[in-house]
Amino acid sequence: FFFQAEDGIRDHCVTGVQTCALPILLLFVFTLINPSANADNQFNFAGSGLGHGVGLSQIGAKAMALDGKSAEEILKYYYTGVEIQPLYDWYDLKVNIGHQLTTANLQLTSATGFLTINGYQVSDRTMIATFKYGSNGITTFIRKSKALVATLPASDSVEINWSGTRFLPGDEAIVNFNPGKSIRYKFGQINLLVVGKSFEATNTVRLKDEYLYGISEVSSNWPIEALRAQVIAARTYALSKAGIYRPSCDCELYGTIKDQLFIGIGKLEEPKYGENWKSAVDETNIDSDSGLAITYQGFPINAYYSSSTNGMTESALNAFGTDQPYLQPVADPASIDPKLNPRYSSWTRSVSAQIVAKAFNLNDVSKLEIIGKRIYATSSTGKKISLRLETFRSRAALPSPFFTVLSNT
């Protein structure tokens, strides 16, 4: 549902009230004539914000925290009619850390401890395990330098444990798992499972701490109340997904911006500020089996959040087509303040005509127009299709759904 900005804030959650011109402008029709007349054959857009704009605005939360507001005040502002209360969060979550893989590598990186792969023990940090998908399942090759040390039988599932966890006693170990990008893991266990003609990789971790310690959605140098608000939103989002198994990923949550960005132990290892995030997680834990969450009528909400908006958050109805009483528009002036949001208070983007046509499943697009909260495309044959602005934003890889179409010159 989200983008991740380069500065570490969600695209993956204010004081005063300020009206914003862009929502009013969206009530008008913006038209772009045939892009083929343009030598570059592309559509040009201008907008504000990063992400879908539903629920918590992270830039807005930071601004409110700088203004002295508490995490509870921030969350109650952005989520309408909610309460902040303890909920049971001692759940083991299966977090997908590698989707549709055909190969991945694993290595012990700590000076202490050991790991096991389907019971085969590795304690040498110079050894690398390579997992490869084949017609018989997942085959594990263990090498030291370039020399093959062992080949483990092909299997439809692989269980990886390392010492110092709840799953395997012993000295503390840290492993590096690389399905294309290396991430270090300290908690839980990793499982590989064949699904279709590839395999899925998951890290099973406890929600209340092991999972939340690894969430990387905002910078850890932000004000502590903004961090606490982010932790509570992240916990609540995970609670709303816990126990709902997704066979296609062998998981309950993706460890990417499809759900929430999870980077293993990387968040805690951030120089200078990693301890800030850990403190925010720990401070929102009420006791050994519960933590603060956002509720509506006693149940955890779908705690959507994103980086920033165009000065007004969006409703779930307009963005996703399903109304939620606690996901209603509120003013978000911090998002259009260039000092607070220098990269996304305003932006322009060009998108090729081919990508625009593909977004609408058309052979070509001769005209684009925005009416209300939908964007309409007309092909050269007169066929007309509309999409929600958020749907088009996602398909065209625009920063946000808060945009207008610019005429080419």
Side-chain angles (χ1 to χ4, degrees):
F1 282 98
F2 317 98
F3 288 106
Q4 181 74 18
E6 293 176 5
D7 53 3
I9 60 176
R10 251 297 190 178
D11 163 49
H12 208 119
C13 323
V14 194
T15 55
V17 176
Q18 177 176 326
T19 58
C20 180
L22 192 53
I24 298 174
L25 291 173
L26 290 177
L27 296 175
F28 293 89
V29 176
F30 298 89
T31 303
L32 181 66
I33 304 303
N34 193 339
S36 61
N38 176 24
D40 294 329
N41 201 30
Q42 60 189 13
F43 292 91
N44 299 316
F45 304 87
S48 299
L50 178 65
H52 52 61
V54 178
L56 177 70
S57 161
Q58 291 167 317
I59 290 294
K62 180 183 180 182
M64 290 184 71
L66 289 171
D67 199 42
K69 297 297 188 292
S70 68
E72 182 171 342
E73 289 174 309
I74 294 169
L75 295 170
K76 286 187 173 182
Y77 177 79
Y78 281 103
Y79 300 108
T80 305
V82 302
E83 297 296 332
I84 312 300
Q85 65 182 88
L87 289 182
Y88 182 84
D89 63 353
W90 189 276
Y91 294 105
D92 272 345
L93 292 175
K94 293 193 75 173
V95 182
N96 187 283
I97 57 173
H99 185 46
Q100 295 180 339
L101 304 176
T102 56
T103 186
N105 294 323
L106 176 77
Q107 187 173 14
L108 179 70
T109 61
S110 55
T112 60
F114 62 94
L115 63 85
T116 63
I117 304 169
N118 277 355
Y120 183 92
Q121 184 170 317
V122 176
S123 55
D124 186 338
R125 287 187 296 163
T126 65
M127 289 185 178
I128 298 176
T130 299
F131 308 99
K132 287 188 175 294
Y133 170 78
S135 58
N136 294 324
I138 305 165
T139 302
T140 304
F141 303 94
I142 300 175
R143 292 181 172 87
K144 183 172 183 177
S145 296
K146 294 183 179 180
L148 183 64
V149 175
T151 301
L152 305 187
S155 174
D156 284 343
S157 63
V158 176
E159 181 178 292
I160 302 164
N161 289 294
W162 52 97
S163 57
T165 67
R166 294 180 293 119
F167 298 92
L168 184 63
D171 294 336
E172 180 181 287
I174 295 174
V175 300
N176 184 86
F177 184 69
N178 183 356
K181 179 181 180 181
S182 294
I183 296 182
R184 285 156 54 85
Y185 297 92
K186 177 181 179 181
F187 306 112
Q189 69 175 194
I190 292 174
N191 290 275
L192 312 180
L193 180 70
V194 172
V195 177
K197 295 184 178 181
S198 59
F199 64 90
E200 302 298 312
T202 56
N203 182 203
T204 299
V205 283
R206 185 170 53 216
L207 193 164
K208 81 175 288 90
D209 46 16
E210 297 171 349
Y211 173 68
L212 291 175
Y213 285 156
I215 294 299
S216 182
E217 291 289 352
V218 296
S219 174
S220 296
N221 69 356
W222 279 18
I224 189 62
E225 291 303 313
L227 297 184
R228 292 179 74 247
Q230 179 63 59
V231 169
I232 296 169
R235 177 186 288 113
T236 307
Y237 183 88
L239 283 171
S240 72
K241 305 295 183 181
I244 303 174
Y245 178 70
R246 308 183 200 181
S248 62
C249 65
D250 186 39
C251 74
E252 294 157 271
L253 289 158
Y254 282 95
T256 68
I257 55 175
K258 288 183 179 180
D259 283 307
Q260 301 188 116
L261 187 61
F262 175 74
I263 61 170
I265 198 175
K267 190 68 171 173
L268 299 185
E269 292 182 328
E270 288 180 349
K272 190 176 180 179
Y273 297 109
E275 186 62 31
N276 292 359
W277 180 253
K278 184 177 185 300
S279 295
V281 174
D282 293 343
E283 289 169 8
T284 61
N285 278 325
I286 299 304
D287 52 38
S288 61
D289 60 6
S290 65
L292 290 177
I294 312 163
T295 65
Y296 184 82
Q297 297 181 349
F299 295 96
I301 68 169
N302 292 315
Y304 292 112
Y305 53 87
S306 63
S307 169
S308 54
T309 69
N310 69 334
M312 182 74 68
T313 66
E314 185 57 277
S315 70
L317 179 62
N318 286 333
F320 310 131
T322 303
D323 194 24
Q324 295 287 2
Y326 49 81
L327 295 173
Q328 301 299 321
V330 299
D332 182 40
S335 284
I336 53 174
D337 185 333
K339 293 181 179 179
L340 295 172
N341 193 19
R343 295 181 60 206
Y344 292 100
S345 58
S346 64
W347 51 261
T348 58
R349 293 290 189 277
S350 296
V351 181
S352 72
Q354 291 81 6
I355 291 176
V356 170
K358 185 178 180 180
F360 289 94
N361 196 27
L362 292 170
N363 291 329
D364 59 30
V365 173
S366 60
K367 184 174 69 174
L368 282 177
E369 56 187 2
I370 296 174
I371 303 175
K373 298 292 185 176
R374 298 186 70 87
I375 183 167
Y376 292 76
T378 304
S379 73
S380 58
T381 62
K383 185 176 182 179
K384 195 169 188 177
I385 294 178
S386 74
L387 296 171
R388 294 187 185 89
L389 293 174
E390 166 57 21
T391 302
F392 178 76
R393 182 280 291 200
S394 179
R395 295 180 182 180
L398 292 174
S400 81
F402 308 107
F403 61 84
T404 61
V405 182
L406 301 177
S407 296
N408 286 309
T409 57

